[in-house]
Amino acid sequence: MRDLGELKERVRAFCAERDWDRFHNPKNLAMALSVEASELVELFQWLTEEQSAKLDEKQRGRVAEELADVLWFLVRISDRLGIDLLEAADTKLSQNAKKYPADLVRGDPRKYNEY
Amino acid sequence: MRDLGELKERVRAFCAERDWDRFHNPKNLAMALSVEASELVELFQWLTEEQSAKLDEKQRGRVAEELADVLWFLVRISDRLGIDLLEAADTKLSQNAKKYPADLVRGDPRKYNEY
Amino acid sequence: MRDLGELKERVRAFCAERDWDRFHNPKNLAMALSVEASELVELFQWLTEEQSAKLDEKQRGRVAEELADVLWFLVRISDRLGIDLLEAADTKLSQNAKKYPADLVRGDPRKYNEY
Amino acid sequence: MRDLGELKERVRAFCAERDWDRFHNPKNLAMALSVEASELVELFQWLTEEQSAKLDEKQRGRVAEELADVLWFLVRISDRLGIDLLEAADTKLSQNAKKYPADLVRGDPRKYNEY
C-alpha cells in the first residue's frame, strides 16, 4: 500500500463491488468507526499500562487489526465527505501548537486533559 | 503534509516537546482515540442519515477536526507500538476480500453487520 | 430483582467470588462500560432509525443483553466510588430542567445537541 | 428519587415537555448513550489506575454527573423499547454465573477479558 490515496481508492472499490454505498452515510460510518475504536479499547481494558506497552506478538497482531479497521472507516467517511485527512491533520497540528504551548503544558496531564 | 510518515514524525516531535511520552502508553492512547471517535459521533447523533450527508460548511469543518483528532491518536498509538498502518490496512483488505465475497454480501447489511 | 440496591449487592458478591476486585478500579470499569455501550451501538449501526424502532424479538433480546451489560458496569463503578446512582440522576434532572427550559428547546435538536 | 420506575417516568415527562420523542429512536439513543460513556472515559484517560481510585471531591462530582447521564439514556432507551432493566440484569447475572464459574475464572483477567 503506497499511501492514503491508494487506500481510499481500494476501500471505495471494495464497497462499490458490494453495493454498500447506501448504508455508508456519514452518520452510520461515524457509528461504525466508534465501534471499531471500542474493539481496540477492549484489548487493553484489563491490562495495566505497563502490560499495554509490552504486548506479545499475538496481542500486537490483534491490535494491528483493530487499528486497520479504524483507519478503514476513517478513510471511508472522509472520502464520503470530501475531506482530505492529511490536510485536516495539518490544520489541527497548527491549532494545537497554539493551544498547547510547550512551555505551559509540559508534563502536565491535567492541561492536556482539556484537549 | 506529505504522507502518514511525515504526520508520525510531527506528532512524535509535538509530544516529545511537551514531555507527554509517559502518559502515552497504548492503553491510554486507545482510550483517547475512542473518546475522539465519540466526539465525531456526537456531531451526528441528532441528525438524520440524510442530513448527515448534507452538512453545511461549519458542520463539515467540525467533522474535519474530529477526523484529524482520531487520525492523530491512530498515528500516535501505531508509532508507540511499531505498527505500520498502511501495511495493517493492506493485510486487512485482503482478509476482508476473502471474508466478504462480493457475490454473497452484495447489498446485505445483515451480513456486513457481522464484520 | 427488587431494585438497584439488590443489583449492587449481587454484582459485588459475583466479583468478590471471582477475585476481580483488583481489576475493577474506576479507570478500567469506565473503559469496560464504554465497550459495552459500543456493543449496543453495533446492533443499530446499519439499521435505519425506523428499523431501530421496530425490532423483532431476537433483536430485542440482544439489545436487552447489552443494556444489562451497561447497567452491570454502571452499578459496579458507582459502587466502587461510593456514588448513589439515583441521587446523581435526581441532581442531574434538576440541573437539566434549568439548562433546557421547555419553552426554549422544544423540538429543537440543535439546542439539545449541546447537551 | 425512589427507584428506576420513578426515574423512567420523570425522564419520559421531561422529554415529552420538550417534544424530543421524535429524535429519541433507539438508534439515536444508543449513539447518545455511547457518547456519554466516552465522556466518563475522558475523565480517567490520563489518570493512572491508582489515581482513578482516589478522586478528590471535584473529580468525584464530575464522574457522578457522567454516570447520571449514562443512566438517563439507559432508562430512556429501555423505556422506548419496553425493556425492563432490572429483569434484563437478572437474566444476565444468571447467564454470567454459568458462563464464568467462580472456580475457573478466579483472578484471571484473560478469561474475564472474553466477557
Side-chain angles (χ1 to χ4, degrees), chain B residues 38-39 41-42 45, chain D residues 30-40:
Chain B
S38 283
E39 293 183 3
V41 170
E42 195 178 7
Q45 65 188 347
Chain D
M31 294 173 84
L33 190 157
S34 79
V35 167
E36 298 300 340
S38 283
E39 292 183 4
L40 177 70

Side-chain angles (χ1 to χ4, degrees), chain C residues 1-4 6-7 10-11 14-20 22-31 33-34 36-41 44-50 52-53 55 60-61 63-74 77-78 81-90 92-98 100-103 105-109 112 115, chain D residues 1-4 6-7 10-11 14-20 22-31 33-34 36-41 44-50 52-53 55 60 63-74 77-78 81-90 92-98 100-103 105-109 111-112 115:
Chain C
M1 187 83 67
R2 212 171 44 245
D3 56 21
L4 280 180
E6 183 187 335
L7 179 56
R10 287 179 61 185
V11 168
F14 191 93
C15 296
E17 276 187 282
R18 283 154 186 80
D19 195 16
W20 284 347
R22 53 182 151 147
F23 305 116
H24 282 192
N25 53 69
K27 177 172 180 150
N28 288 359
L29 291 169
M31 294 172 84
L33 190 157
S34 79
E36 297 299 341
S38 283
E39 293 183 4
L40 178 70
V41 170
F44 293 112
Q45 67 189 346
W46 307 118
L47 301 185
T48 64
E49 296 177 45
E50 290 69 29
S52 83
L55 303 181
R60 224 168 132 278
V63 168
E65 279 196 53
E66 299 304 339
L67 295 179
D69 285 337
V70 173
L71 183 59
W72 201 99
F73 282 111
L74 194 60
I77 192 172
S78 62
L81 286 166
I83 291 170
D84 185 301
L85 278 176
L86 289 174
E87 194 182 301
D90 196 36
K92 200 64 200 252
L93 265 174
S94 306
Q95 291 173 347
N96 283 349
K98 285 180 199 150
Y100 303 95
D103 288 349
V105 303
R106 187 167 293 123
D108 189 340
Y112 187 40
Y115 230 97
Chain D
M1 188 79 70
R2 211 171 45 246
D3 56 21
L4 280 179
E6 183 187 336
L7 180 56
R10 288 178 60 185
V11 168
F14 191 94
C15 296
E17 275 187 283
R18 283 155 187 79
D19 196 15
W20 284 347
R22 53 182 150 146
F23 305 115
H24 283 192
N25 52 69
K27 177 171 179 150
N28 287 358
L29 292 169
M31 294 173 84
L33 190 157
S34 79
E36 298 300 340
S38 283
E39 292 183 4
L40 177 70
V41 170
F44 292 113
Q45 66 189 347
W46 308 119
L47 301 184
T48 63
E49 295 176 45
E50 289 70 29
S52 82
L55 303 181
R60 225 168 131 278
V63 169
E65 278 197 53
E66 299 305 339
L67 295 179
D69 285 337
V70 173
L71 183 59
W72 201 97
F73 282 111
L74 195 59
I77 192 173
S78 61
L81 286 165
I83 290 171
D84 184 300
L85 277 177
L86 289 174
E87 195 182 302
D90 197 35
K92 199 66 200 249
L93 266 175
S94 305
Q95 291 173 346
N96 283 349
K98 283 180 202 150
Y100 303 94
D103 288 348
V105 303
R106 186 166 293 124
D108 189 341
K111 290 232 179 61
Y112 186 41
Y115 233 98

Side-chain angles (χ1 to χ4, degrees), chain A residues 44 53 65 110:
Chain A
F44 292 113
E65 277 195 54
R110 279 173 306 168

Side-chain angles (χ1 to χ4, degrees), chain A residues 104-113, chain B residues 18 20 22-23:
Chain A
L104 277 179
V105 303
R106 185 166 294 124
D108 189 341
R110 279 173 306 168
K111 291 232 180 59
Y112 186 43
N113 196 15
Chain B
R18 283 154 185 82
W20 285 348
R22 53 182 151 146
F23 306 115

Side-chain angles (χ1 to χ4, degrees), chain B residues 3-20:
Chain B
D3 56 21
L4 280 179
E6 183 186 335
L7 179 56
K8 179 177 74 173
E9 294 299 337
R10 287 178 62 186
V11 169
R12 195 191 284 180
F14 191 93
C15 296
E17 275 187 282
R18 283 154 185 82
D19 196 15
W20 285 348

